[in-house]
Amino acid sequence: MSKTLLVYAENRDGKLRQVALETLGAAQQIAGAQDRIQVVVAGSDITSAVSELVPYGADVIYTIEHPELEHYNPEAYISVLKSVLQQAAPDLVLFGHTALGKDLAPLVAAHLAAGQISDITAIEVEEGNAVFTRPLYAGKAFEKRVFENGPAVITIRPNNVAAATAPEGSASPIEDIAYPSPSLRTIVKDVVQKTTGKIDLSEAKIVVSGGRGVKSVDGFKPLEELADLLGGAVGASRGACDAGYCDYSLQIGQTGKVVTPEIYIACGISGAIQHLAGMSQSRVIIAINKDPEAPIFKVADYGIVGDLFDVVPLLTAEFRKV
Ligand code: FAD
């Protein structure tokens, strides 16, 4: 029996997020030849996000554009999705495991009385059935889950699943859905962002992270320089945040952000278990620490024992030559 997969394509300020293409990539991985992939894009200025999605050959792209969708508001967004769900009647709804996805996916699951599997890092398809892998205990173990029956909702961790591919010459029809104009009890007037203009930490392919070893606000400067050169983002341990060297929005770990970049460069970070919870799934980990016994070296693929204020500028100088 053919299935319908509905992908929520997240956009921010009208720009399609990388995780949207990864979520669509997950749908492409799961879908069999007879299955339909549908995409939904909602927001206040979605023209460019929708155009970017057209070549990926979805069976339909549902679009809902309205000024009330400028900022994420669960009441408004669930009402929009209810309209789409009614039309699409999906068997599986896919979200990115982002702040928005973590909030909206359970609302959709509750509405559909569906099961949900969150924070998926890998998908295998065995005899036509998708098997989802997700980390447990802050990445110390993994479990594999399947859906038995009924509608289902999943969230995909950014930077883990391959982005969608656009089959040559394909296009996707667009279907506008009217904004249902719900009577909202709360309205988001404004969103004040602390990290405007920077690469989103949870989606960055390269993260250069600083710990208490950076010793001051200025100590982050060489890390910022390296991150800028590599097109990456700067992160931090809680030690660095608690010491006031950087903002808590940079914190990576159990009580901060979870990142899985291709390269994670830990500078002056000891490697406490709570920090590892947020970065140990990174593809390649490079640790710079002057203490050869620092626990971070146990998870590092490459370790440099040395003073970060010598090593980081050296790395920057070498990368500049490439
Ligand atoms: P430290 O442990 O002080 O390590 C500093 C390191 O820098 C040392 O290894 C030192 O050798 C090295 N160093 C110093 N100077 C230099 C230099 N010049 N060059 C190179 N290396 C140098 N932590 C998180 O990170 N994220 C979390 O989400 C988080 N959540 C927590 C939740 C709970 C409930 C608790 C109890 C703790 C949590 N922590 C978290 C805190 C965690 O336990 C550690 O205290 C914290 O990660 C330590 O930060 P750090 O590695 O920067 O500092």
Side-chain angles (χ1 to χ4, degrees):
M1 214 175 69
S2 74
K3 295 190 296 282
T4 299
L5 290 78
L6 180 68
V7 173
Y8 183 84
E10 195 170 329
N11 64 95
R12 185 183 284 165
D13 301 331
K15 285 202 198 86
L16 197 67
R17 294 190 67 181
Q18 172 64 19
V19 70
L21 293 178
E22 292 165 6
T23 312
L24 184 54
Q28 288 179 339
Q29 233 178 297
I30 297 164
Q34 307 302 318
D35 297 338
R36 288 176 300 277
I37 297 181
Q38 308 189 340
V39 177
V40 51
V41 189
S44 65
D45 173 16
I46 55 174
T47 315
S48 110
V50 173
S51 328
E52 206 180 315
L53 282 163
V54 166
Y56 288 91
D59 290 277
V60 60
I61 302 177
Y62 296 114
T63 59
I64 304 107
E65 197 162 18
H66 194 275
E68 275 181 10
L69 299 174
E70 183 181 0
H71 304 301
Y72 175 66
N73 174 346
E75 278 185 88
Y77 273 72
I78 189 62
S79 105
V80 158
L81 278 188
K82 280 180 186 173
S83 303
V84 177
L85 294 168
Q86 204 174 9
Q87 187 130 339
D91 300 280
L92 178 68
V93 189
L94 301 91
F95 291 89
H97 194 70
T98 59
L100 181 149
K102 283 187 247 183
D103 198 58
L104 194 50
L107 296 176
V108 167
H111 174 69
L112 294 174
Q116 180 173 329
I117 301 177
S118 302
D119 201 13
I120 289 160
T121 53
I123 301 165
E124 292 147 289
V125 179
E126 293 171 5
E127 292 167 10
N129 294 318
V131 181
F132 302 104
T133 302
R134 63 187 296 271
L136 292 174
Y137 308 119
K140 284 212 158 304
F142 292 88
E143 66 173 4
K144 291 189 175 202
R145 285 187 173 223
V146 293
F147 287 108
E148 289 268 285
N149 48 39
V153 175
I154 61 174
T155 66
I156 308 287
R157 186 186 279 199
N159 271 345
N160 279 263
V161 171
T165 49
E168 212 169 303
S170 59
S172 320
I174 296 169
E175 191 174 326
D176 293 330
I177 301 233
Y179 180 61
S181 299
S183 64
L184 301 174
R185 282 167 295 182
T186 54
I187 291 171
V188 181
K189 300 288 268 185
D190 200 8
V191 173
V192 181
Q193 281 176 298
K194 282 191 172 165
T195 50
T196 44
K198 300 262 177 184
I199 295 172
D200 190 306
L201 190 52
S202 52
E203 287 189 358
K205 299 276 178 228
I206 298 178
V207 173
V208 183
S209 223
R212 227 187 309 255
V214 301
K215 294 196 180 69
S216 66
V217 175
D218 282 348
F220 264 97
K221 293 223 168 100
L223 278 59
E224 282 160 11
E225 214 176 308
L226 179 58
D228 283 348
L229 181 72
L230 299 176
V234 171
S237 71
R238 178 155 147 191
C241 301
D242 283 346
Y245 304 158
C246 62
D247 193 84
Y248 279 102
S249 60
L250 301 189
Q251 185 184 320
I252 289 166
Q254 187 183 319
T255 44
K257 294 196 168 83
V258 175
V259 298
T260 39
E262 278 165 20
I263 303 176
Y264 187 87
I265 308 177
C267 312
I269 294 177
S270 60
I273 183 78
Q274 295 89 352
H275 186 75
L276 301 186
M279 47 62 75
S280 61
Q281 301 305 310
S282 306
R283 221 147 286 163
V284 175
I285 299 172
I286 301 169
I288 303 165
N289 198 304
K290 61 182 186 185
D291 175 8
E293 303 296 323
I296 190 78
F297 288 126
K298 292 208 176 87
V299 295
D301 299 282
Y302 300 95
I304 304 171
V305 178
D307 191 316
L308 71 93
F309 295 106
D310 297 329
V311 177
V312 174
L314 269 176
L315 285 178
T316 308
E318 284 303 312
F319 283 126
R320 228 184 268 288
K321 289 182 197 162
V322 181

